[in-house]
Amino acid sequence: MQTFQVHSRIRPVWQRLSGRPVYIWGAGQQGRGMGRVLERQGVRLQGYLDSSPQLQGRSALGYPISRPETILQPPIPNGKPFVIVASFFFEKDIMARCRAAGLKAGLDFISYKDLKPFDYAIDISGACNLRCLSCPRATRSHRHPPAGFMTPGVFTQVLDKILDEDPLVGNLQLYQWGEPLLNPHLPEILGLANARGLPCALSSNLNSTSHLEPVIAAGPAWFRISVSGTGKDYERTHTGASWAKLLKNMETLAELRARLRPDMKTEVYYHLYRHNRDGSLDEVRRLCERFEFELHPVWAYLISLDDVLEYLEGGELTPQAAEASGMLALGLEQGMALARQEIRKKCLVDRCIHVNWNLTVSNCMMFFYPQDNIAATNFLETPLEEILTTRVKSSLCRRCRAQALHRYCNVYNTEQIEGAAA
Ligand code: SF4
Ligand code: SF4
């Protein structure tokens, strides 16, 4: 079975951790998931490292979060550390710092991806209350997947199958193309995952909060709020949202976190366009300081990839996607020019298993429309090995790689954009 072979292949990597003080660098979604994997494998975790001053001195899953310098500068406590790098955005930088401190790649530090072959996104909500400009939900409703919500009973079966097939599962992302807070069963779903030791991540537009208190009480490990500017600018790109409502709900969330879940990592994911990089960003920074949220600015790009692939294959962008494209700091053509330079590099999302609320499994989580994007019609009835085989052979992946689209999102996560967008 392919899953078993994958896990056999990485067993020697796991053996390198034996007898070493183990640290996870990155106390976010992946880091917390990795912590649970270590616990289940009987590896003692020394603690977390994180460069964010807002996290230092706090804890994650009960382990202390320290400054990276704690183990990079002598005197180093407890002998030579083994560092697991668990950061999607800053992996390259962190590894460079490890190298500079005399740690050796592979022997003293590795990526979490080398220990945990798959990530899981379970879209428990197949609906959203907004129609953001750059989102495929804004247009072509006839091509949308069916709307609905995963029930706790079905979620339980999904959890059991994942744990049965993949003992190295760490964390669960409970969103991709839907607003998770709309699912009325969310508190129960979080409770079910926590009972099995699987920390959950939520990402929300925070405009609909009818049951926010029971949700926070149920204990998501990680809560992201998606923001793109302030006032009317925000309402233009987060189409259908209300800035006033968002502000009020951020305040409520801060109060609930302080009272119920002080350990919940809470971040504002700020989408940078041409027009919202200065004053609006400063305003959101002040809000984050007030609410003690982390601020994570990221360059906006066109997502899903459905529109982009159709455009690259000779089609037209929808008016909404064209409008959003014109607002990007790094335009679609420039982004694709950078992606083409990386055409030989690997895809970074093919390790993610994306299960939709109705149990269909996507070939790729970056595509929204179901056409040409279904690897299995029922996750519960399809072995992981079969899903992986179908995905590898999918025509969607072939078309995507032929255009270098598998590297498109990645070029926006690097420093390349700084110079290109200036
Ligand atoms: S980007 Fe997110 S919040 Fe906006 S419409 Fe799409 S799914 Fe909803
Ligand atoms: S190659 Fe493209 S379609 Fe396939 S998983 Fe990667 S990003 Fe998705």
Side-chain angles (χ1 to χ4, degrees):
M1 177 172 169
Q2 188 164 351
T3 316
F4 174 74
Q5 285 167 2
V6 169
H7 292 160
S8 305
R9 180 166 54 73
I10 64 175
R11 196 167 297 135
V13 186
W14 273 89
Q15 283 163 357
R16 288 178 218 157
L17 277 61
S18 176
R20 303 274 297 272
V22 176
Y23 292 86
I24 297 175
W25 191 327
Q29 184 185 167
Q30 295 299 350
R32 290 173 197 229
M34 197 65 234
R36 289 292 188 229
V37 179
L38 292 180
E39 285 174 349
R40 284 207 303 276
Q41 298 299 312
V43 176
R44 190 165 162 269
L45 178 63
Q46 208 73 29
Y48 284 91
L49 308 169
D50 206 290
S51 301
S52 166
Q54 290 141 311
L55 288 180
Q56 293 163 3
R58 287 177 175 257
S59 64
L61 309 178
Y63 299 97
I65 305 174
S66 310
R67 298 163 61 237
E69 290 75 16
T70 315
I71 59 129
L72 296 182
Q73 291 166 357
I76 296 167
N78 310 319
K80 200 170 191 186
F82 192 96
V83 179
I84 300 168
V85 180
S87 169
F88 188 78
F89 289 106
F90 303 113
E91 180 173 289
K92 224 169 97 189
D93 298 342
I94 294 173
M95 289 190 170
R97 288 185 67 186
C98 288
R99 253 184 231 102
L103 301 180
K104 294 206 169 25
L107 296 177
D108 303 319
F109 67 89
I110 51 172
S111 165
Y112 76 96
K113 298 185 209 106
D114 296 325
L115 293 167
K116 185 163 89 68
F118 304 114
D119 290 330
Y120 294 84
I122 306 174
D123 237 331
I124 57 162
S125 287
C128 187
N129 47 331
L130 304 187
R131 293 291 177 265
C132 297
L133 206 54
S134 66
C135 180
R137 285 201 178 275
T139 52
R140 294 171 169 159
S141 53
H142 62 289
R143 288 170 64 180
H144 289 192
F149 302 108
M150 190 174 278
T151 62
V154 171
F155 185 72
T156 301
Q157 294 177 67
V158 170
L159 284 182
D160 289 344
K161 179 171 183 276
I162 290 174
L163 281 162
D164 188 44
E165 291 182 313
D166 182 4
L168 300 179
V169 55
N171 48 303
L172 301 174
Q173 170 178 319
L174 298 185
Y175 62 90
Q176 182 61 12
W177 297 112
E179 166 55 57
L181 292 185
L182 294 185
N183 187 320
H185 311 292
L186 181 54
E188 199 179 336
I189 283 173
L190 289 165
L192 289 163
N194 284 334
R196 287 162 174 76
L198 291 176
C200 292
L202 302 177
S203 175
S204 172
N205 58 54
L206 211 57
N207 267 250
S208 170
T209 55
S210 55
H211 57 168
L212 194 56
E213 179 154 357
V215 166
I216 302 307
W222 185 93
F223 197 114
R224 169 185 285 174
I225 309 152
S226 166
V227 179
S228 56
T230 55
K232 293 288 170 212
D233 281 345
Y234 163 74
E235 292 170 1
R236 181 178 171 205
T237 37
H238 268 76
T239 319
S242 152
W243 174 248
K245 211 185 270 183
L246 174 71
L247 278 182
K248 184 172 159 291
N249 292 338
M250 282 168 88
E251 191 164 356
T252 305
L253 178 65
E255 185 276 317
L256 289 172
R257 182 177 70 148
R259 179 159 54 86
L260 301 170
R261 294 282 172 180
D263 268 8
M264 181 177 78
K265 181 175 160 72
T266 311
E267 71 169 28
V268 167
Y269 200 69
Y270 187 93
H271 301 266
L272 290 162
Y273 289 89
R274 278 184 198 286
H275 62 279
N276 67 1
R277 290 154 61 180
D278 298 320
S280 299
L281 180 58
D282 290 339
E283 188 177 339
V284 172
R285 184 174 286 116
R286 284 193 292 277
L287 282 172
C288 287
E289 282 165 10
R290 180 173 144 215
F291 295 137
E292 295 189 35
F293 296 162
E294 291 171 60
L295 175 63
H296 192 152
V298 289
W299 297 102
Y301 49 85
L302 287 191
I303 184 82
S304 71
L305 296 183
D306 303 84
D307 278 337
V308 187
L309 182 58
E310 283 191 22
Y311 172 74
L312 295 172
E313 291 180 336
E316 296 278 330
L317 289 179
T318 63
Q320 288 86 342
E323 185 181 349
S325 178
M327 296 161 73
L328 299 177
L330 186 77
L332 176 55
E333 296 296 348
Q334 291 167 287
M336 281 309 305
L338 290 172
R340 284 186 201 102
Q341 292 172 17
E342 305 187 351
I343 192 164
R344 292 189 192 286
K345 290 193 183 172
K346 61 181 184 180
C347 169
L348 296 178
V349 296
D350 61 0
R351 63 195 305 282
C352 184
I353 312 295
H354 176 217
V355 184
N356 294 292
W357 74 272
N358 60 357
L359 290 176
T360 57
V361 183
S362 305
N363 279 317
C364 177
M365 68 187 300
M366 307 304 273
F367 285 78
F368 173 65
Y369 302 136
Q371 296 81 24
D372 203 18
N373 191 22
I374 299 293
T377 52
N378 189 324
F379 177 71
L380 298 177
E381 293 170 359
T382 317
L384 180 58
E385 178 188 2
E386 196 177 314
I387 293 170
L388 296 172
T389 308
T390 307
R391 291 175 57 195
V392 167
K393 292 183 191 157
S394 80
S395 62
L396 184 68
C397 281
R398 213 170 38 247
R399 289 164 57 206
C400 174
R401 284 175 203 271
Q403 300 286 349
L405 188 54
H406 64 295
R407 299 298 299 179
Y408 170 69
C409 303
N410 197 60
V411 301
Y412 290 81
N413 291 336
T414 67
E415 68 283 359
Q416 295 181 84
I417 194 173
E418 289 288 354

